[in-house]
Amino acid sequence: MVITDAETSDAPTIRLIDSLIQRAYTMQASDIHIEPFEEETAVRMRVDGVMIECMNLQKSLHPSLMARIKIMTNLDITEKRLPQDGHFRTHRFG
């Protein structure tokens, strides 16, 4: 298998999403919120009905995070204005 430049540039995004999902699983979070702000992207998780601030990321990471999530959930990565509904399954961590 040959790894292209596009795949290696996406590897950090893939690892970041995987670590967020693993952290949510460990914390028994019911959902993950990734919200863009003017200067940063906030990541929060809902644990026992309470939103917990997990981390703030560089605003420049937001488009690649959203693209990765849309790919995982079989959504249209070009659609940015209309809501979309998707889901995915993952293996248990640990």
Side-chain angles (χ1 to χ4, degrees):
M1 178 169 132
V2 176
I3 298 175
T4 65
D5 288 339
E7 291 171 332
T8 57
S9 66
D10 288 343
T13 302
I14 293 169
R15 286 193 304 269
L16 177 58
I17 292 293
D18 288 349
S19 70
L20 286 174
I21 294 169
Q22 182 175 8
R23 185 172 181 182
Y25 177 80
T26 302
M27 295 173 64
Q28 297 182 342
S30 60
D31 43 295
I32 303 170
H33 293 250
I34 301 173
E35 186 176 0
F37 288 103
E38 192 170 318
E39 296 182 11
E40 64 189 13
T41 296
V43 179
R44 296 179 296 210
M45 296 182 191
R46 187 182 316 275
V47 178
D48 293 330
V50 178
M51 292 297 285
I52 298 172
E53 185 91 18
C54 290
M55 65 178 68
N56 292 317
L57 304 170
Q58 297 173 8
K59 174 75 173 192
S60 61
L61 294 174
H62 190 79
S64 62
L65 291 174
M66 293 301 99
R68 176 64 184 160
I69 291 169
K70 287 179 179 184
I71 289 168
M72 291 172 65
T73 57
N74 295 316
L75 300 177
D76 180 2
I77 64 170
T78 62
E79 182 57 64
K80 296 183 181 351
R81 295 199 169 264
L82 297 175
Q84 301 181 66
D85 189 16
H87 68 277
F88 68 97
R89 292 187 183 267
T90 187
H91 299 283
R92 294 181 102 175
F93 294 99

